Amino acid sequence: MAKCPKIVITGASGFIAKNLRKYLSKQNVDLISISRSDFKKLNFESKIISKNYNEKNLLQKIKNSDVLIHLVGIGKQSVKADYDMINTEFTKHIVKISKKSKIKKIIYFSGLGVSPNTSLGYFISKYNAEKQIIDSGLDYTIFRPSYIVGKDDLFTKYLKKQIKNGEIKIPGSGAYSIQPIHVTDVIKVIFEAVTEMKFNNKIIDLVGPNYITFEKYVKLFSKGTKTKIRKINLEDAYHDAIINSKSDFGIDDLNILIGNFKGNHEKLKKISNLKFQSMIDLLESGRLL
Ligand SMILES: NC(=O)c1ccc[n+]([C@@H]2O[C@H](COP(=O)([O-])OP(=O)(O)OC[C@H]3O[C@@H](n4cnc5c(N)ncnc54)[C@H](OP(=O)(O)O)[C@@H]3O)[C@@H](O)[C@H]2O)c1
């Protein structure tokens, strides 16, 4: 492997970023991490705190880094931050800064289900962000992830909270499927995408080996905990998502779940040469609890 490149990470306090920074720091990789708020700096890491990633503040500090991993993104909108603003326009800004600072490659996290034919606002914003990156002329790897799970992701934390309360709610039938991937596998794939040319200028589904129904996932997740599983009316779940900004499932969480999106795991396995964790084994082992 060639000398490890100098890496910039945006959205440093997020779930994937935190796991990635820990891993890269352990590998002695030179890292510049950017966040809107203060965070604890790791070994081999420099930190930048920037509310709006303003060019003046950033250019000099990230100049001549090799790869930028763009992990800023939202999956729920508000008046203050909508999809177009954060997922698309912010990416456009990051592409511009990357070009000015002579960064050679961008790694971007889009979403499984993004396609030119989509009609969902969330996916459209991610599609438009992908386009900004593809059209930039920089090298890129675009990942389209399904649910990335670990001990501290939102989805896992949500299920654990429900187990504590004794009941997990499934919106609708639960017969729709998901294709989760473990965060440690994701981090290894990102590291390969940073260091290996074969990932350049590709769009790759970031999905695990098992495509399983939501009901099965929840049953396996809560195995041995005596948790009741209750199916709730889908209309009620959507109603709650529409009128309550703090609802357990946001509108697009429901849209994505029910979308039944399936990715190409074989392609990911082939390009990465990694052995991916079986989600079923992981759930059965209780290691996510
Ligand atoms: N986790 C998954 O299962 C999954 C699946 C599909 C796609 N993705 C995509 O992967 C990326 C990272 O996901 P994640 O799970 O790590 O998400 P996350 O934990 O929500 O982190 C996203 C980060 O984006 C930054 N951010 C949010 N709103 C912002 C705003 N208004 N202005 C500037 N920065 C803002 C924040 O970083 P700071 O607080 O450090 O500023 C936040 O921590 C996102 O684009 C997400 O859509 C994730």
Side-chain angles (χ1 to χ4, degrees), residues 11-16 35-36 71-73 86 109-110 126 146 148:
S13 306
F15 161 63
I16 299 168
S35 175
R36 291 165 302 166
L71 291 171
V72 168
I86 306 303
F109 271 55
S110 178
K126 290 273 186 185
S146 176
I148 299 172

Side-chain angles (χ1 to χ4, degrees), residues 95-126:
V95 166
K96 189 170 136 213
I97 294 186
S98 301
K99 288 174 85 168
K100 283 200 178 171
S101 28
K102 305 261 183 290
I103 283 170
K104 299 173 197 74
K105 174 169 180 174
I106 298 191
I107 296 178
Y108 178 59
F109 271 55
S110 178
L112 184 68
V114 171
S115 87
N117 307 318
T118 188
S119 59
L120 270 194
Y122 169 72
F123 286 149
I124 292 171
S125 70
K126 290 273 186 185

Side-chain angles (χ1 to χ4, degrees), residues 34-37 48-55 57-58:
I34 316 173
S35 175
R36 291 165 302 166
S37 38
I48 303 177
I49 312 297
S50 176
K51 282 263 171 278
N52 51 7
Y53 288 62
N54 125 353
E55 204 175 297
N57 184 6
L58 295 190

Side-chain angles (χ1 to χ4, degrees), residues 7 9 11-35 37-49 71 152 187:
I7 300 174
I9 295 180
S13 306
F15 161 63
I16 299 168
K18 272 201 242 169
N19 282 280
L20 177 64
R21 288 171 42 231
K22 237 184 259 168
Y23 178 85
L24 294 175
S25 169
K26 279 195 189 139
Q27 307 286 324
N28 304 354
V29 173
D30 254 348
L31 191 62
I32 303 173
S33 301
I34 316 173
S35 175
S37 38
D38 200 10
F39 60 95
K40 194 166 174 280
K41 190 170 90 66
L42 305 173
N43 288 337
F44 303 97
E45 184 178 49
S46 347
K47 70 173 170 182
I48 303 177
I49 312 297
L71 291 171
D152 47 356
I187 301 307

